[in-house]
Amino acid sequence: MKESLKNYFNKYINLSDEEIEIIYQNTDVTKLNKKEFLLKEGKICESKYFLIEGLVRFFEIDNNGNENINQFGIENWWITDLDSFINETPSRQSVQALEKTIVLQISKSNLEKLYISIPKLERAFRIITENMLIAIQRKDEVYMKKTSKDRYYNLVEKIPDFTQRVPQYMIASYLNITPEYLSEIRKKSN
């Protein structure tokens, strides 16, 4: 786990083994089984989560009782409900494991302490947050400019094994299309 963390952070900043050890000591390991929740709607997101292994989905339930998937998280990604985490407000989303998942979590108070003891860590999280915002912006552009079919192909291209790990109806929800239409797209691509 430490090696995964080190490899991830070293894409942005150089951390010594001692600094990685300090970071690791300020995290908790959480293991989730398939369908277990990391965060439930209405609860405050008190940590940032680094996925060591597994897959999660961010979703909300609309007024009609439908699940709307907004995001997925896979290995070596940081995930959090940023609004809930920063503003300490109840989350409007839930985060659920789609397979056995292992995450390292850093609480807000531990993260603030780490920023003081390892100042360059704050820079790393700024870059990570900027990259996350760019990804959201690109996703929005893709949704506005591309057809449903092109959005599906874009997803398959960016994360090739993803469609094998996620049920078709969840991919359809994420792409904002019906499962039947997604099935047609997949048939035509084979």
Side-chain angles (χ1 to χ4, degrees), residues 125-170:
F125 273 107
R126 178 184 52 81
I127 295 168
I128 292 164
T129 302
E130 287 171 351
N131 287 339
M132 180 188 69
L133 292 172
I134 290 167
I136 290 168
Q137 187 176 15
R138 285 185 182 156
K139 178 188 171 204
D140 289 347
E141 288 170 4
V142 166
Y143 267 72
M144 289 175 15
K145 294 179 182 175
K146 295 193 181 225
T147 64
S148 301
K149 181 178 170 182
D150 289 337
R151 291 195 311 255
Y152 172 73
Y153 290 131
N154 185 60
L155 180 64
V156 171
E157 179 185 317
K158 298 276 189 226
I159 312 171
D161 72 334
F162 183 75
T163 57
Q164 307 308 313
R165 296 171 69 185
V166 178
Q168 185 170 313
Y169 77 93
M170 288 186 187

Side-chain angles (χ1 to χ4, degrees), residues 35-50:
K35 296 188 177 184
E36 279 192 275
F37 286 86
L38 190 57
L39 175 67
K40 285 191 175 184
E41 179 182 357
K43 300 291 182 188
I44 294 173
C45 182
E46 297 175 347
S47 298
K48 287 192 176 205
Y49 306 98
F50 182 69

Side-chain angles (χ1 to χ4, degrees), residues 87-102:
N87 296 314
E88 298 178 358
T89 56
S91 178
R92 294 186 312 270
Q93 302 185 77
S94 294
V95 180
Q96 183 182 40
L98 297 180
E99 57 191 40
K100 276 193 154 187
T101 300
I102 300 172

